[in-house]
Amino acid sequence: MGEKPKVLLQNPLQSCLETLRIDNVLTLLESRAGPNHRLVRAFGIDNAFTTTQKRYYRSFMRRARHLVTKDEPTWQVMGDLIKDHVRFECQSSTINNTFPLVQLVQAVILKTTMYTLFDLPMEKLDATTIRLIAELINRLWIESKSTKISGKFREDRRELERLLGTIFQVTGEYNPSENPLNLILPAYETLWRVVLRGFLEVMFRGAEAGAEWRQVLVTFLADPTATTFRRANDLTGISVAFLVAETLRLYPPTRRIYRDIKREYNTDPPELFAADIEFLHRDANIWGDDSLCFDPSRWRDVSKECLDAFMPFGWKSFTCPAQDDFGPRMIGLAVGALVSEFEHGWTWCAARVEDEIDTEGPLAAERDSYMTLGLSRRQQ
């Protein structure tokens, strides 16, 4: 994305909505596909984020909705599965008795995503391969923002294709419409950064309420029904739904929504606009003076103004099919599984000052943040 987007912040809610409603001779799909073309170059995908074809978009969305619609028995299986994934990754990823947290979360979420969307047998999801795929996705995503294509970029893409081929039994390049990353990327990218920060907030930054927050998450992990997701703790009045909503508010998976805008039919290139969702979610004029604090209690009596300003999964025409149930419940399950594994006897450590988490305000939201952050046993 070489062009710097125009981001309007004078009145965040109004500016965000104006950016998404602005006069445009491009179709809605064309307006979104342009800013996402870098992902086509990086991953060879053709999905709802990159297509300009209405029929293909509708077909893709129908398939995605079907894949993320799960009955309650399936949610129970998924709860057990993600708990097993966390335990297995802990056994296979320790370095000097320390678990690299980002890599652990990425591997757990990627493995769970691939199993959930494709029902792959576990023996195909080798731990080393999964961690390498996650690393390559992250690296290619960052590199795709550059206007230059380096030799390393090409090598990373070929290696990612090779590794996916060993799992999905495909040789050579994928047909873009059949690329498994079409489905993997939206789910994986929606989840892993949110899960990481939700876990850190609940586990290490929750102050006095942290124990009660962790308890409702562990209870939900054991009984991952919609009812348990919404059930409030008797002491705090906090539910898993509130914890997840507050995580999505402070750390939205899509920090900005980009759109190409052309106001007239001419040969001029489109202008790039961005609706700043992260800024909107943290605006004190909407959320109050504690807008930069992680406080799930705000969701007990949330105003219509706040709900109107809450758009972690997109807005109107392009909302994510996982927003109503699958996404929030998966975040709750993953954070619950991490809490269950690390609640007692663990602390955090970081090799870089910028990766330390005992800071004021929200956690860093960059893709390469916390790469040296790890978990280690507390000294007795």
Side-chain angles (χ1 to χ4, degrees), residues 189-225:
E189 286 297 324
T190 295
L191 293 171
W192 80 262
R193 284 173 296 156
V194 179
V195 168
L196 172 67
R197 286 157 180 83
F199 170 68
L200 292 174
E201 289 285 1
V202 169
M203 187 72 190
F204 299 112
R205 290 162 51 105
E208 296 178 0
E212 284 77 20
W213 296 351
R214 293 191 288 273
Q215 182 57 54
V216 295
L217 285 160
V218 172
T219 299
F220 174 63
L221 179 65
D223 180 31
T225 63

Side-chain angles (χ1 to χ4, degrees), residues 37-45 140-141 144 153 157 160:
H37 182 72
R38 66 184 180 86
L39 301 180
V40 177
R41 183 181 62 178
F43 300 107
I45 60 174
L140 282 167
W141 195 289
S144 73
F153 181 91
R157 178 169 169 173
L160 179 59

Side-chain angles (χ1 to χ4, degrees), residues 86-107:
V86 169
R87 188 153 296 167
F88 178 81
E89 287 299 323
C90 288
Q91 294 170 350
S92 59
S93 62
T94 181
I95 300 174
N96 297 325
N97 296 317
T98 299
F99 297 109
L101 187 57
V102 169
Q103 292 87 334
L104 187 151
V105 171
Q106 287 177 337

Side-chain angles (χ1 to χ4, degrees), residues 65-345:
R65 289 190 190 97
H66 172 73
L67 288 171
V68 299
T69 300
K70 308 294 182 184
D71 58 22
E72 296 298 358
T74 302
W75 276 109
Q76 186 65 61
V77 172
M78 288 166 60
D80 295 337
L81 182 74
I82 200 165
K83 184 165 59 177
D84 290 344
H85 285 347
V86 169
R87 188 153 296 167
F88 178 81
E89 287 299 323
C90 288
Q91 294 170 350
S92 59
S93 62
T94 181
I95 300 174
N96 297 325
N97 296 317
T98 299
F99 297 109
L101 187 57
V102 169
Q103 292 87 334
L104 187 151
V105 171
Q106 287 177 337
V108 167
I109 297 302
L110 182 57
K111 188 180 290 188
T112 303
T113 298
M114 294 173 78
Y115 179 86
T116 302
L117 296 178
F118 299 100
D119 198 21
L120 292 169
M122 293 306 299
E123 58 268 20
K124 284 196 171 186
L125 303 179
D126 169 71
T128 302
T129 300
I130 290 296
R131 284 196 291 272
L132 186 50
I133 288 174
E135 180 184 337
L136 288 167
I137 288 174
N138 202 50
R139 204 153 64 214
L140 282 167
W141 195 289
I142 293 172
E143 291 173 356
S144 73
K145 296 181 180 182
S146 171
T147 56
K148 298 179 181 179
I149 299 178
S150 66
K152 180 62 174 172
F153 181 91
R154 296 187 182 90
E155 289 176 15
D156 285 346
R157 178 169 169 173
R158 284 195 296 269
E159 180 64 3
L160 179 59
E161 289 172 351
R162 186 189 70 79
L163 292 171
L164 288 171
T166 64
I167 294 174
F168 292 95
Q169 298 180 322
V170 174
T171 56
E173 281 194 35
Y174 283 96
N175 179 326
S177 64
E178 298 173 357
N179 190 335
L181 290 173
N182 287 334
L183 291 163
I184 292 170
L185 282 179
Y188 169 69
E189 286 297 324
T190 295
L191 293 171
W192 80 262
R193 284 173 296 156
V194 179
V195 168
L196 172 67
R197 286 157 180 83
F199 170 68
L200 292 174
E201 289 285 1
V202 169
M203 187 72 190
F204 299 112
R205 290 162 51 105
E208 296 178 0
E212 284 77 20
W213 296 351
R214 293 191 288 273
Q215 182 57 54
V216 295
L217 285 160
V218 172
T219 299
F220 174 63
L221 179 65
D223 180 31
T225 63
T227 300
T228 309
F229 183 72
R230 294 188 296 266
R231 183 183 298 142
N233 178 276
D234 292 337
L235 293 176
T236 64
I238 301 301
S239 65
V240 176
F242 291 172
L243 288 166
V244 171
E246 183 66 353
T247 304
L248 288 167
R249 181 193 71 82
L250 206 53
Y251 308 109
T254 301
R255 298 170 65 194
R256 285 185 171 136
I257 296 176
Y258 294 95
R259 293 290 182 266
D260 273 346
I261 305 295
K262 283 194 73 169
R263 301 176 193 275
E264 298 178 1
Y265 290 100
N266 54 39
T267 58
D268 294 337
E271 294 180 282
L272 181 62
F273 279 75
D276 196 326
I277 304 303
E278 182 181 76
F279 190 90
L280 176 65
H281 281 195
R282 298 177 178 185
D283 182 13
N285 293 318
I286 297 173
W287 300 94
D289 293 338
D290 65 346
S291 62
L292 298 182
C293 300
F294 184 87
D295 180 13
S297 69
R298 75 176 76 247
W299 294 92
R300 285 190 300 226
D301 188 24
V302 65
S303 69
K304 183 179 183 302
E305 183 185 21
C306 289
L307 291 175
D308 288 343
F310 184 61
M311 48 182 83
F313 292 105
W315 183 78
K316 293 289 175 86
S317 303
F318 293 133
T319 50
C320 174
Q323 73 166 350
D324 292 329
D325 184 53
F326 181 82
R329 263 211 264 188
M330 278 297 296
I331 293 167
L333 273 184
V335 175
L338 290 165
V339 166
S340 177
E341 185 70 23
F342 294 109
E343 183 173 14
H344 302 294

